[in-house]
Amino acid sequence: MSIERATRTPVVETTPLLEVSDLRVRFRHRGRQVHAVNGLSYRLAPGRMLAIVGESGSGKSVGVRALLGLLPPTATVTGSARLDGVELVGLPDKEMRRHRGADIAVVFQDPARSLNPTMRVGDQITEAIRAHRDLDRAAARERAVELLRLVRLAAPEQRFHEYPHQLSGGMRQRVMIAIALGAEPRLLIADEATTSLDVTTQAQIMDLLLDLQRRLNMAVILISHDLGLAASYAQDVVVMYAGRAVEHAATAELFEHVRMPYTRALLGAIPTLEREAHALLPVIPGQPPDLSALPEGCPFRPRCPSATERCAQEPPLDEHEPGHWWACWHPVEEASA
Ligand SMILES: Nc1ncnc2c1ncn2[C@@H]1O[C@H](COP(=O)(O)OP(=O)(O)OP(=O)(O)O)[C@@H](O)[C@H]1O
Ligand code: SF4
Ligand SMILES: [Mg+2]
């Protein structure tokens, strides 16, 4: 696995674009409370790419949907998520809609479901541009073709007039990215955006996202099961467990000086990753906790080989070294890391 592309600079040297603190989301579900996000905290500086990794059900998607106001009415969101100083938690729907798309845009896994099958792709991009920018139809159409070119879709003028079913999965995902870029957002969230694509197309879309991030100085949150992908492209990483950030650092720092036993277990698969550049998260013995009956103390305790009685107290996520946060009473020692 290559982490050369990830820079070694600390996570935050400038004022963060996004600062998430103690974010909590719970759902009412069949008479129970599901604690999907439990005090999530992390920061993202402008123009950087942050990967959020963790097992299925660790709250990666719910955590970003809370930023976008895209949760069902059964959800209660508390805590804070400030984008450029604007508090997103508790924002009225109308204002949230204005931010969504304009300041933060999102690309999901399944472009086939996100695109309107009865509308030409160019018209869908044009609409997205006009929803946020004061351009007349002709100027917006011209911008839409430019965006198709920016996302490296071959023959953009011709593709503009096509319907989604005439495009391949990779092309449709490029169209989704063009729609997301329509309002020139400062933050693009890609939630498993390349998961349904074959490995070659996945790499092309990731290269495109990296190129756009650099050229447009846009921050990107990359949500992925794929540690290899996160390590190759993102500059910063947040590792989530049971709805919390348990370790957060620049990618190279995290991979070279892992501190949290959970991250250590995830990285146990590095030899596999070297053989197989796109291996998924490894299987760690035991089950993640039941989110409607969270254990006291550290949520990783029932599965952790280093657990002691002290772990019955929940460890805080602290910045123990500059730019490196972890939540553990007994961090992995350098010699055994
Ligand atoms: N509408 C809902 N009602 C009740 N529980 C929900 C709802 N949406 C999500 N959850 C629960 O919240 C938890 C976190 O879900 P989330 O989708 O964020 O996980 P994830 O980390 O994105 O997983 P994956 O990698 O599988 O996408 C899960 O246990 C899920 O079942
Ligand atoms: S706090 Fe304790 S249980 Fe939790 S990860 Fe650290 S050593 Fe393991
Ligand atoms: Mg998800």
Side-chain angles (χ1 to χ4, degrees), residues 19-25 37-42 77-81:
E19 186 155 23
V20 174
S21 339
D22 201 28
L23 187 71
R24 291 169 193 268
V25 181
V37 175
N38 298 297
L40 174 62
S41 302
Y42 63 88
V77 183
T78 56
S80 168

Side-chain angles (χ1 to χ4, degrees), residues 44 126 139 146 153 175 191 303 337:
L44 173 58
T126 306
E146 265 173 43
L153 201 70
V175 170
D191 188 352
R303 300 165 85 183

Side-chain angles (χ1 to χ4, degrees), residues 290-308:
D290 176 354
L291 296 176
S292 25
L294 279 172
E296 291 276 301
C298 175
F300 190 51
R301 190 179 176 206
R303 300 165 85 183
C304 181
S306 314
T308 66

